[in-house]
mmCIF file with all atom_site columns, all heavy atoms in Angstrom:
data_model
loop_
_atom_site.group_PDB
_atom_site.id
_atom_site.type_symbol
_atom_site.label_atom_id
_atom_site.label_alt_id
_atom_site.label_comp_id
_atom_site.label_asym_id
_atom_site.label_entity_id
_atom_site.label_seq_id
_atom_site.pdbx_PDB_ins_code
_atom_site.Cartn_x
_atom_site.Cartn_y
_atom_site.Cartn_z
_atom_site.occupancy
_atom_site.B_iso_or_equiv
_atom_site.pdbx_formal_charge
_atom_site.auth_seq_id
_atom_site.auth_comp_id
_atom_site.auth_asym_id
_atom_site.auth_atom_id
_atom_site.pdbx_PDB_model_num
ATOM 1   N N   . PRO A 1 1  ? -16.089 4.170  22.884  1.00 94.00 ? 876 PRO A N   1
ATOM 2   C CA  . PRO A 1 1  ? -16.162 5.502  22.281  1.00 94.00 ? 876 PRO A CA  1
ATOM 3   C C   . PRO A 1 1  ? -14.804 6.184  22.197  1.00 94.00 ? 876 PRO A C   1
ATOM 4   O O   . PRO A 1 1  ? -14.694 7.252  21.589  1.00 94.00 ? 876 PRO A O   1
ATOM 5   C CB  . PRO A 1 1  ? -17.101 6.262  23.223  1.00 94.00 ? 876 PRO A CB  1
ATOM 6   C CG  . PRO A 1 1  ? -16.904 5.611  24.543  1.00 94.00 ? 876 PRO A CG  1
ATOM 7   C CD  . PRO A 1 1  ? -16.651 4.160  24.252  1.00 94.00 ? 876 PRO A CD  1
ATOM 8   N N   . TYR A 1 2  ? -13.774 5.590  22.812  1.00 94.00 ? 877 TYR A N   1
ATOM 9   C CA  . TYR A 1 2  ? -12.430 6.127  22.639  1.00 94.00 ? 877 TYR A CA  1
ATOM 10  C C   . TYR A 1 2  ? -11.951 5.832  21.216  1.00 94.00 ? 877 TYR A C   1
ATOM 11  O O   . TYR A 1 2  ? -12.491 4.975  20.505  1.00 94.00 ? 877 TYR A O   1
ATOM 12  C CB  . TYR A 1 2  ? -11.478 5.532  23.677  1.00 94.00 ? 877 TYR A CB  1
ATOM 13  C CG  . TYR A 1 2  ? -11.803 5.928  25.091  1.00 94.00 ? 877 TYR A CG  1
ATOM 14  C CD1 . TYR A 1 2  ? -12.233 4.982  26.018  1.00 94.00 ? 877 TYR A CD1 1
ATOM 15  C CD2 . TYR A 1 2  ? -11.714 7.260  25.510  1.00 94.00 ? 877 TYR A CD2 1
ATOM 16  C CE1 . TYR A 1 2  ? -12.548 5.335  27.327  1.00 94.00 ? 877 TYR A CE1 1
ATOM 17  C CE2 . TYR A 1 2  ? -12.027 7.626  26.812  1.00 94.00 ? 877 TYR A CE2 1
ATOM 18  C CZ  . TYR A 1 2  ? -12.443 6.664  27.714  1.00 94.00 ? 877 TYR A CZ  1
ATOM 19  O OH  . TYR A 1 2  ? -12.770 7.018  29.004  1.00 94.00 ? 877 TYR A OH  1
ATOM 20  N N   . GLU A 1 3  ? -10.904 6.516  20.821  1.00 93.00 ? 878 GLU A N   1
ATOM 21  C CA  . GLU A 1 3  ? -10.462 6.504  19.425  1.00 93.00 ? 878 GLU A CA  1
ATOM 22  C C   . GLU A 1 3  ? -10.202 5.099  18.885  1.00 93.00 ? 878 GLU A C   1
ATOM 23  O O   . GLU A 1 3  ? -10.504 4.794  17.731  1.00 93.00 ? 878 GLU A O   1
ATOM 24  C CB  . GLU A 1 3  ? -9.202  7.365  19.297  1.00 93.00 ? 878 GLU A CB  1
ATOM 25  C CG  . GLU A 1 3  ? -8.977  7.934  17.917  1.00 93.00 ? 878 GLU A CG  1
ATOM 26  C CD  . GLU A 1 3  ? -9.883  9.113  17.601  1.00 93.00 ? 878 GLU A CD  1
ATOM 27  O OE1 . GLU A 1 3  ? -10.827 9.396  18.385  1.00 93.00 ? 878 GLU A OE1 1
ATOM 28  O OE2 . GLU A 1 3  ? -9.656  9.754  16.563  1.00 93.00 ? 878 GLU A OE2 1
ATOM 29  N N   . GLY A 1 4  ? -9.629  4.224  19.719  1.00 90.00 ? 879 GLY A N   1
ATOM 30  C CA  . GLY A 1 4  ? -9.326  2.873  19.270  1.00 90.00 ? 879 GLY A CA  1
ATOM 31  C C   . GLY A 1 4  ? -10.547 2.025  18.995  1.00 90.00 ? 879 GLY A C   1
ATOM 32  O O   . GLY A 1 4  ? -10.437 0.956  18.398  1.00 90.00 ? 879 GLY A O   1
ATOM 33  N N   . GLY A 1 5  ? -11.719 2.487  19.405  1.00 90.00 ? 880 GLY A N   1
ATOM 34  C CA  . GLY A 1 5  ? -12.931 1.736  19.151  1.00 90.00 ? 880 GLY A CA  1
ATOM 35  C C   . GLY A 1 5  ? -13.535 1.968  17.789  1.00 90.00 ? 880 GLY A C   1
ATOM 36  O O   . GLY A 1 5  ? -14.221 1.103  17.250  1.00 90.00 ? 880 GLY A O   1
ATOM 37  N N   . HIS A 1 6  ? -13.262 3.141  17.189  1.00 92.00 ? 881 HIS A N   1
ATOM 38  C CA  . HIS A 1 6  ? -13.974 3.477  15.958  1.00 92.00 ? 881 HIS A CA  1
ATOM 39  C C   . HIS A 1 6  ? -13.127 4.128  14.881  1.00 92.00 ? 881 HIS A C   1
ATOM 40  O O   . HIS A 1 6  ? -13.583 4.258  13.748  1.00 92.00 ? 881 HIS A O   1
ATOM 41  C CB  . HIS A 1 6  ? -15.155 4.412  16.276  1.00 92.00 ? 881 HIS A CB  1
ATOM 42  C CG  . HIS A 1 6  ? -14.780 5.627  17.067  1.00 92.00 ? 881 HIS A CG  1
ATOM 43  N ND1 . HIS A 1 6  ? -14.220 6.726  16.497  1.00 92.00 ? 881 HIS A ND1 1
ATOM 44  C CD2 . HIS A 1 6  ? -14.869 5.889  18.400  1.00 92.00 ? 881 HIS A CD2 1
ATOM 45  C CE1 . HIS A 1 6  ? -13.985 7.636  17.431  1.00 92.00 ? 881 HIS A CE1 1
ATOM 46  N NE2 . HIS A 1 6  ? -14.372 7.153  18.602  1.00 92.00 ? 881 HIS A NE2 1
ATOM 47  N N   . ARG A 1 7  ? -11.906 4.540  15.193  1.00 94.00 ? 882 ARG A N   1
ATOM 48  C CA  . ARG A 1 7  ? -11.077 5.125  14.134  1.00 94.00 ? 882 ARG A CA  1
ATOM 49  C C   . ARG A 1 7  ? -10.470 4.006  13.298  1.00 94.00 ? 882 ARG A C   1
ATOM 50  O O   . ARG A 1 7  ? -9.850  3.082  13.825  1.00 94.00 ? 882 ARG A O   1
ATOM 51  C CB  . ARG A 1 7  ? -9.968  5.986  14.732  1.00 94.00 ? 882 ARG A CB  1
ATOM 52  C CG  . ARG A 1 7  ? -9.149  6.682  13.659  1.00 94.00 ? 882 ARG A CG  1
ATOM 53  C CD  . ARG A 1 7  ? -8.221  7.730  14.242  1.00 94.00 ? 882 ARG A CD  1
ATOM 54  N NE  . ARG A 1 7  ? -7.454  8.389  13.196  1.00 94.00 ? 882 ARG A NE  1
ATOM 55  C CZ  . ARG A 1 7  ? -6.706  9.467  13.390  1.00 94.00 ? 882 ARG A CZ  1
ATOM 56  N NH1 . ARG A 1 7  ? -6.631  10.016 14.592  1.00 94.00 ? 882 ARG A NH1 1
ATOM 57  N NH2 . ARG A 1 7  ? -6.048  10.023 12.396  1.00 94.00 ? 882 ARG A NH2 1
ATOM 58  N N   . VAL A 1 8  ? -10.642 4.098  11.992  1.00 93.00 ? 883 VAL A N   1
ATOM 59  C CA  . VAL A 1 8  ? -10.230 3.017  11.106  1.00 93.00 ? 883 VAL A CA  1
ATOM 60  C C   . VAL A 1 8  ? -9.495  3.574  9.884   1.00 93.00 ? 883 VAL A C   1
ATOM 61  O O   . VAL A 1 8  ? -9.621  4.754  9.551   1.00 93.00 ? 883 VAL A O   1
ATOM 62  C CB  . VAL A 1 8  ? -11.453 2.201  10.616  1.00 93.00 ? 883 VAL A CB  1
ATOM 63  C CG1 . VAL A 1 8  ? -12.168 1.544  11.789  1.00 93.00 ? 883 VAL A CG1 1
ATOM 64  C CG2 . VAL A 1 8  ? -12.419 3.072  9.832   1.00 93.00 ? 883 VAL A CG2 1
ATOM 65  N N   . PRO A 1 9  ? -8.741  2.731  9.209   1.00 92.00 ? 884 PRO A N   1
ATOM 66  C CA  . PRO A 1 9  ? -8.056  3.176  7.992   1.00 92.00 ? 884 PRO A CA  1
ATOM 67  C C   . PRO A 1 9  ? -9.027  3.292  6.821   1.00 92.00 ? 884 PRO A C   1
ATOM 68  O O   . PRO A 1 9  ? -10.021 2.576  6.739   1.00 92.00 ? 884 PRO A O   1
ATOM 69  C CB  . PRO A 1 9  ? -7.035  2.060  7.730   1.00 92.00 ? 884 PRO A CB  1
ATOM 70  C CG  . PRO A 1 9  ? -7.657  0.842  8.341   1.00 92.00 ? 884 PRO A CG  1
ATOM 71  C CD  . PRO A 1 9  ? -8.395  1.330  9.547   1.00 92.00 ? 884 PRO A CD  1
ATOM 72  N N   . PHE A 1 10 ? -8.727  4.232  5.928   1.00 95.00 ? 885 PHE A N   1
ATOM 73  C CA  . PHE A 1 10 ? -9.449  4.348  4.665   1.00 95.00 ? 885 PHE A CA  1
ATOM 74  C C   . PHE A 1 10 ? -8.417  4.677  3.602   1.00 95.00 ? 885 PHE A C   1
ATOM 75  O O   . PHE A 1 10 ? -7.866  5.777  3.570   1.00 95.00 ? 885 PHE A O   1
ATOM 76  C CB  . PHE A 1 10 ? -10.515 5.443  4.742   1.00 95.00 ? 885 PHE A CB  1
ATOM 77  C CG  . PHE A 1 10 ? -11.319 5.590  3.468   1.00 95.00 ? 885 PHE A CG  1
ATOM 78  C CD1 . PHE A 1 10 ? -12.530 4.941  3.322   1.00 95.00 ? 885 PHE A CD1 1
ATOM 79  C CD2 . PHE A 1 10 ? -10.863 6.378  2.417   1.00 95.00 ? 885 PHE A CD2 1
ATOM 80  C CE1 . PHE A 1 10 ? -13.277 5.072  2.157   1.00 95.00 ? 885 PHE A CE1 1
ATOM 81  C CE2 . PHE A 1 10 ? -11.596 6.511  1.251   1.00 95.00 ? 885 PHE A CE2 1
ATOM 82  C CZ  . PHE A 1 10 ? -12.814 5.860  1.121   1.00 95.00 ? 885 PHE A CZ  1
ATOM 83  N N   . PHE A 1 11 ? -8.131  3.689  2.762   1.00 96.00 ? 886 PHE A N   1
ATOM 84  C CA  . PHE A 1 11 ? -7.184  3.872  1.661   1.00 96.00 ? 886 PHE A CA  1
ATOM 85  C C   . PHE A 1 11 ? -7.962  3.885  0.348   1.00 96.00 ? 886 PHE A C   1
ATOM 86  O O   . PHE A 1 11 ? -8.829  3.032  0.127   1.00 96.00 ? 886 PHE A O   1
ATOM 87  C CB  . PHE A 1 11 ? -6.155  2.743  1.627   1.00 96.00 ? 886 PHE A CB  1
ATOM 88  C CG  . PHE A 1 11 ? -5.332  2.625  2.872   1.00 96.00 ? 886 PHE A CG  1
ATOM 89  C CD1 . PHE A 1 11 ? -5.567  1.615  3.798   1.00 96.00 ? 886 PHE A CD1 1
ATOM 90  C CD2 . PHE A 1 11 ? -4.309  3.529  3.135   1.00 96.00 ? 886 PHE A CD2 1
ATOM 91  C CE1 . PHE A 1 11 ? -4.806  1.502  4.948   1.00 96.00 ? 886 PHE A CE1 1
ATOM 92  C CE2 . PHE A 1 11 ? -3.543  3.426  4.281   1.00 96.00 ? 886 PHE A CE2 1
ATOM 93  C CZ  . PHE A 1 11 ? -3.790  2.411  5.191   1.00 96.00 ? 886 PHE A CZ  1
ATOM 94  N N   . ILE A 1 12 ? -7.650  4.832  -0.518  1.00 97.00 ? 887 ILE A N   1
ATOM 95  C CA  . ILE A 1 12 ? -8.322  4.912  -1.810  1.00 97.00 ? 887 ILE A CA  1
ATOM 96  C C   . ILE A 1 12 ? -7.276  5.128  -2.897  1.00 97.00 ? 887 ILE A C   1
ATOM 97  O O   . ILE A 1 12 ? -6.337  5.916  -2.724  1.00 97.00 ? 887 ILE A O   1
ATOM 98  C CB  . ILE A 1 12 ? -9.383  6.040  -1.831  1.00 97.00 ? 887 ILE A CB  1
ATOM 99  C CG1 . ILE A 1 12 ? -10.107 6.067  -3.185  1.00 97.00 ? 887 ILE A CG1 1
ATOM 100 C CG2 . ILE A 1 12 ? -8.792  7.393  -1.490  1.00 97.00 ? 887 ILE A CG2 1
ATOM 101 C CD1 . ILE A 1 12 ? -11.356 6.943  -3.185  1.00 97.00 ? 887 ILE A CD1 1
ATOM 102 N N   . ARG A 1 13 ? -7.428  4.411  -4.016  1.00 96.00 ? 888 ARG A N   1
ATOM 103 C CA  . ARG A 1 13 ? -6.480  4.524  -5.138  1.00 96.00 ? 888 ARG A CA  1
ATOM 104 C C   . ARG A 1 13 ? -7.253  4.575  -6.447  1.00 96.00 ? 888 ARG A C   1
ATOM 105 O O   . ARG A 1 13 ? -8.194  3.809  -6.660  1.00 96.00 ? 888 ARG A O   1
ATOM 106 C CB  . ARG A 1 13 ? -5.544  3.308  -5.152  1.00 96.00 ? 888 ARG A CB  1
ATOM 107 C CG  . ARG A 1 13 ? -4.423  3.434  -6.190  1.00 96.00 ? 888 ARG A CG  1
ATOM 108 C CD  . ARG A 1 13 ? -3.619  2.147  -6.312  1.00 96.00 ? 888 ARG A CD  1
ATOM 109 N NE  . ARG A 1 13 ? -4.396  1.110  -6.949  1.00 96.00 ? 888 ARG A NE  1
ATOM 110 C CZ  . ARG A 1 13 ? -4.147  -0.200 -6.832  1.00 96.00 ? 888 ARG A CZ  1
ATOM 111 N NH1 . ARG A 1 13 ? -3.165  -0.614 -6.051  1.00 96.00 ? 888 ARG A NH1 1
ATOM 112 N NH2 . ARG A 1 13 ? -4.888  -1.084 -7.467  1.00 96.00 ? 888 ARG A NH2 1
ATOM 113 N N   . TRP A 1 14 ? -6.831  5.503  -7.297  1.00 97.00 ? 889 TRP A N   1
ATOM 114 C CA  . TRP A 1 14 ? -7.416  5.635  -8.639  1.00 97.00 ? 889 TRP A CA  1
ATOM 115 C C   . TRP A 1 14 ? -6.414  6.385  -9.508  1.00 97.00 ? 889 TRP A C   1
ATOM 116 O O   . TRP A 1 14 ? -6.500  7.594  -9.679  1.00 97.00 ? 889 TRP A O   1
ATOM 117 C CB  . TRP A 1 14 ? -8.752  6.370  -8.576  1.00 97.00 ? 889 TRP A CB  1
ATOM 118 C CG  . TRP A 1 14 ? -9.493  6.436  -9.880  1.00 97.00 ? 889 TRP A CG  1
ATOM 119 C CD1 . TRP A 1 14 ? -9.363  5.616  -10.960 1.00 97.00 ? 889 TRP A CD1 1
ATOM 120 C CD2 . TRP A 1 14 ? -10.507 7.398  -10.226 1.00 97.00 ? 889 TRP A CD2 1
ATOM 121 N NE1 . TRP A 1 14 ? -10.222 5.987  -11.960 1.00 97.00 ? 889 TRP A NE1 1
ATOM 122 C CE2 . TRP A 1 14 ? -10.939 7.075  -11.536 1.00 97.00 ? 889 TRP A CE2 1
ATOM 123 C CE3 . TRP A 1 14 ? -11.083 8.466  -9.565  1.00 97.00 ? 889 TRP A CE3 1
ATOM 124 C CZ2 . TRP A 1 14 ? -11.927 7.819  -12.190 1.00 97.00 ? 889 TRP A CZ2 1
ATOM 125 C CZ3 . TRP A 1 14 ? -12.069 9.206  -10.216 1.00 97.00 ? 889 TRP A CZ3 1
ATOM 126 C CH2 . TRP A 1 14 ? -12.484 8.880  -11.509 1.00 97.00 ? 889 TRP A CH2 1
ATOM 127 N N   . PRO A 1 15 ? -5.464  5.689  -10.084 1.00 95.00 ? 890 PRO A N   1
ATOM 128 C CA  . PRO A 1 15 ? -4.431  6.366  -10.884 1.00 95.00 ? 890 PRO A CA  1
ATOM 129 C C   . PRO A 1 15 ? -4.991  7.200  -12.031 1.00 95.00 ? 890 PRO A C   1
ATOM 130 O O   . PRO A 1 15 ? -4.556  8.335  -12.245 1.00 95.00 ? 890 PRO A O   1
ATOM 131 C CB  . PRO A 1 15 ? -3.568  5.205  -11.402 1.00 95.00 ? 890 PRO A CB  1
ATOM 132 C CG  . PRO A 1 15 ? -3.762  4.118  -10.382 1.00 95.00 ? 890 PRO A CG  1
ATOM 133 C CD  . PRO A 1 15 ? -5.188  4.249  -9.944  1.00 95.00 ? 890 PRO A CD  1
ATOM 134 N N   . ALA A 1 16 ? -5.968  6.658  -12.764 1.00 96.00 ? 891 ALA A N   1
ATOM 135 C CA  . ALA A 1 16 ? -6.525  7.402  -13.902 1.00 96.00 ? 891 ALA A CA  1
ATOM 136 C C   . ALA A 1 16 ? -7.338  8.608  -13.457 1.00 96.00 ? 891 ALA A C   1
ATOM 137 O O   . ALA A 1 16 ? -7.586  9.516  -14.251 1.00 96.00 ? 891 ALA A O   1
ATOM 138 C CB  . ALA A 1 16 ? -7.392  6.475  -14.763 1.00 96.00 ? 891 ALA A CB  1
ATOM 139 N N   . GLY A 1 17 ? -7.744  8.633  -12.201 1.00 96.00 ? 892 GLY A N   1
ATOM 140 C CA  . GLY A 1 17 ? -8.499  9.762  -11.673 1.00 96.00 ? 892 GLY A CA  1
ATOM 141 C C   . GLY A 1 17 ? -7.625  10.783 -10.992 1.00 96.00 ? 892 GLY A C   1
ATOM 142 O O   . GLY A 1 17 ? -8.129  11.700 -10.335 1.00 96.00 ? 892 GLY A O   1
ATOM 143 N N   . ASP A 1 18 ? -6.300  10.597 -11.118 1.00 93.00 ? 893 ASP A N   1
ATOM 144 C CA  . ASP A 1 18 ? -5.324  11.560 -10.583 1.00 93.00 ? 893 ASP A CA  1
ATOM 145 C C   . ASP A 1 18 ? -5.364  11.691 -9.059  1.00 93.00 ? 893 ASP A C   1
ATOM 146 O O   . ASP A 1 18 ? -5.027  12.752 -8.515  1.00 93.00 ? 893 ASP A O   1
ATOM 147 C CB  . ASP A 1 18 ? -5.510  12.944 -11.225 1.00 93.00 ? 893 ASP A CB  1
ATOM 148 C CG  . ASP A 1 18 ? -5.247  12.930 -12.723 1.00 93.00 ? 893 ASP A CG  1
ATOM 149 O OD1 . ASP A 1 18 ? -4.337  12.189 -13.140 1.00 93.00 ? 893 ASP A OD1 1
ATOM 150 O OD2 . ASP A 1 18 ? -5.948  13.640 -13.465 1.00 93.00 ? 893 ASP A OD2 1
ATOM 151 N N   . ILE A 1 19 ? -5.777  10.642 -8.367  1.00 95.00 ? 894 ILE A N   1
ATOM 152 C CA  . ILE A 1 19 ? -5.639  10.654 -6.913  1.00 95.00 ? 894 ILE A CA  1
ATOM 153 C C   . ILE A 1 19 ? -4.157  10.523 -6.591  1.00 95.00 ? 894 ILE A C   1
ATOM 154 O O   . ILE A 1 19 ? -3.506  9.563  -7.000  1.00 95.00 ? 894 ILE A O   1
ATOM 155 C CB  . ILE A 1 19 ? -6.435  9.502  -6.267  1.00 95.00 ? 894 ILE A CB  1
ATOM 156 C CG1 . ILE A 1 19 ? -7.933  9.753  -6.424  1.00 95.00 ? 894 ILE A CG1 1
ATOM 157 C CG2 . ILE A 1 19 ? -6.073  9.348  -4.796  1.00 95.00 ? 894 ILE A CG2 1
ATOM 158 C CD1 . ILE A 1 19 ? -8.819  8.690  -5.803  1.00 95.00 ? 894 ILE A CD1 1
ATOM 159 N N   . PRO A 1 20 ? -3.580  11.487 -5.905  1.00 93.00 ? 895 PRO A N   1
ATOM 160 C CA  . PRO A 1 20 ? -2.124  11.459 -5.682  1.00 93.00 ? 895 PRO A CA  1
ATOM 161 C C   . PRO A 1 20 ? -1.712  10.360 -4.708  1.00 93.00 ? 895 PRO A C   1
ATOM 162 O O   . PRO A 1 20 ? -2.294  10.214 -3.630  1.00 93.00 ? 895 PRO A O   1
ATOM 163 C CB  . PRO A 1 20 ? -1.837  12.850 -5.100  1.00 93.00 ? 895 PRO A CB  1
ATOM 164 C CG  . PRO A 1 20 ? -3.132  13.299 -4.498  1.00 93.00 ? 895 PRO A CG  1
ATOM 165 C CD  . PRO A 1 20 ? -4.217  12.689 -5.323  1.00 93.00 ? 895 PRO A CD  1
ATOM 166 N N   . ALA A 1 21 ? -0.725  9.587  -5.085  1.00 92.00 ? 896 ALA A N   1
ATOM 167 C CA  . ALA A 1 21 ? -0.221  8.516  -4.227  1.00 92.00 ? 896 ALA A CA  1
ATOM 168 C C   . ALA A 1 21 ? 0.451   9.101  -2.991  1.00 92.00 ? 896 ALA A C   1
ATOM 169 O O   . ALA A 1 21 ? 1.159   10.103 -3.062  1.00 92.00 ? 896 ALA A O   1
ATOM 170 C CB  . ALA A 1 21 ? 0.770   7.648  -4.995  1.00 92.00 ? 896 ALA A CB  1
ATOM 171 N N   . GLY A 1 22 ? 0.192   8.500  -1.859  1.00 93.00 ? 897 GLY A N   1
ATOM 172 C CA  . GLY A 1 22 ? 0.863   8.901  -0.630  1.00 93.00 ? 897 GLY A CA  1
ATOM 173 C C   . GLY A 1 22 ? 0.258   10.092 0.081   1.00 93.00 ? 897 GLY A C   1
ATOM 174 O O   . GLY A 1 22 ? 0.742   10.481 1.147   1.00 93.00 ? 897 GLY A O   1
ATOM 175 N N   . LYS A 1 23 ? -0.772  10.686 -0.484  1.00 93.00 ? 898 LYS A N   1
ATOM 176 C CA  . LYS A 1 23 ? -1.372  11.851 0.165   1.00 93.00 ? 898 LYS A CA  1
ATOM 177 C C   . LYS A 1 23 ? -2.120  11.436 1.427   1.00 93.00 ? 898 LYS A C   1
ATOM 178 O O   . LYS A 1 23 ? -2.803  10.413 1.448   1.00 93.00 ? 898 LYS A O   1
ATOM 179 C CB  . LYS A 1 23 ? -2.333  12.564 -0.788  1.00 93.00 ? 898 LYS A CB  1
ATOM 180 C CG  . LYS A 1 23 ? -2.986  13.788 -0.145  1.00 93.00 ? 898 LYS A CG  1
ATOM 181 C CD  . LYS A 1 23 ? -3.895  14.526 -1.102  1.00 93.00 ? 898 LYS A CD  1
ATOM 182 C CE  . LYS A 1 23 ? -4.539  15.731 -0.418  1.00 93.00 ? 898 LYS A CE  1
ATOM 183 N NZ  . LYS A 1 23 ? -5.415  16.487 -1.321  1.00 93.00 ? 898 LYS A NZ  1
ATOM 184 N N   . LYS A 1 24 ? -2.019  12.254 2.466   1.00 94.00 ? 899 LYS A N   1
ATOM 185 C CA  . LYS A 1 24 ? -2.710  12.005 3.720   1.00 94.00 ? 899 LYS A CA  1
ATOM 186 C C   . LYS A 1 24 ? -3.752  13.088 3.957   1.00 94.00 ? 899 LYS A C   1
ATOM 187 O O   . LYS A 1 24 ? -3.452  14.277 3.859   1.00 94.00 ? 899 LYS A O   1
ATOM 188 C CB  . LYS A 1 24 ? -1.718  11.978 4.887   1.00 94.00 ? 899 LYS A CB  1
ATOM 189 C CG  . LYS A 1 24 ? -2.361  11.720 6.242   1.00 94.00 ? 899 LYS A CG  1
ATOM 190 C CD  . LYS A 1 24 ? -1.311  11.691 7.341   1.00 94.00 ? 899 LYS A CD  1
ATOM 191 C CE  . LYS A 1 24 ? -1.953  11.470 8.711   1.00 94.00 ? 899 LYS A CE  1
ATOM 192 N NZ  . LYS A 1 24 ? -0.944  11.449 9.796   1.00 94.00 ? 899 LYS A NZ  1
ATOM 193 N N   . VAL A 1 25 ? -4.969  12.676 4.256   1.00 93.00 ? 900 VAL A N   1
ATOM 194 C CA  . VAL A 1 25 ? -6.050  13.611 4.591   1.00 93.00 ? 900 VAL A CA  1
ATOM 195 C C   . VAL A 1 25 ? -6.152  13.670 6.106   1.00 93.00 ? 900 VAL A C   1
ATOM 196 O O   . VAL A 1 25 ? -6.376  12.650 6.758   1.00 93.00 ? 900 VAL A O   1
ATOM 197 C CB  . VAL A 1 25 ? -7.391  13.153 3.981   1.00 93.00 ? 900 VAL A CB  1
ATOM 198 C CG1 . VAL A 1 25 ? -8.534  14.014 4.478   1.00 93.00 ? 900 VAL A CG1 1
ATOM 199 C CG2 . VAL A 1 25 ? -7.313  13.187 2.456   1.00 93.00 ? 900 VAL A CG2 1
ATOM 200 N N   . ASP A 1 26 ? -5.986  14.859 6.673   1.00 91.00 ? 901 ASP A N   1
ATOM 201 C CA  . ASP A 1 26 ? -5.978  14.971 8.133   1.00 91.00 ? 901 ASP A CA  1
ATOM 202 C C   . ASP A 1 26 ? -7.267  15.560 8.699   1.00 91.00 ? 901 ASP A C   1
ATOM 203 O O   . ASP A 1 26 ? -7.369  15.801 9.900   1.00 91.00 ? 901 ASP A O   1
ATOM 204 C CB  . ASP A 1 26 ? -4.772  15.789 8.612   1.00 91.00 ? 901 ASP A CB  1
ATOM 205 C CG  . ASP A 1 26 ? -4.748  17.191 8.028   1.00 91.00 ? 901 ASP A CG  1
ATOM 206 O OD1 . ASP A 1 26 ? -5.727  17.568 7.352   1.00 91.00 ? 901 ASP A OD1 1
ATOM 207 O OD2 . ASP A 1 26 ? -3.755  17.906 8.249   1.00 91.00 ? 901 ASP A OD2 1
ATOM 208 N N   . LYS A 1 27 ? -8.260  15.797 7.857   1.00 94.00 ? 902 LYS A N   1
ATOM 209 C CA  . LYS A 1 27 ? -9.546  16.284 8.334   1.00 94.00 ? 902 LYS A CA  1
ATOM 210 C C   . LYS A 1 27 ? -10.393 15.095 8.797   1.00 94.00 ? 902 LYS A C   1
ATOM 211 O O   . LYS A 1 27 ? -10.262 13.979 8.284   1.00 94.00 ? 902 LYS A O   1
ATOM 212 C CB  . LYS A 1 27 ? -10.290 17.046 7.242   1.00 94.00 ? 902 LYS A CB  1
ATOM 213 C CG  . LYS A 1 27 ? -9.529  18.236 6.676   1.00 94.00 ? 902 LYS A CG  1
ATOM 214 C CD  . LYS A 1 27 ? -9.332  19.319 7.723   1.00 94.00 ? 902 LYS A CD  1
ATOM 215 C CE  . LYS A 1 27 ? -8.662  20.548 7.112   1.00 94.00 ? 902 LYS A CE  1
ATOM 216 N NZ  . LYS A 1 27 ? -8.433  21.605 8.120   1.00 94.00 ? 902 LYS A NZ  1
#
């Protein structure tokens, strides 16, 4: 249940949908 057990990366890309490259979501 500590952070290393369940926190994982989530990368999303969609150039035509105007998802900004390099943006970080901290919520």
Side-chain angles (χ1 to χ4, degrees):
Y877 294 114
E878 205 76 350
H881 53 80
R882 184 169 180 170
V883 298
F885 181 95
F886 300 105
I887 182 168
R888 187 187 71 202
W889 186 22
D893 297 324
I894 291 181
K898 180 178 179 179
K899 180 179 178 180
V900 173
D901 59 6
K902 302 295 184 181

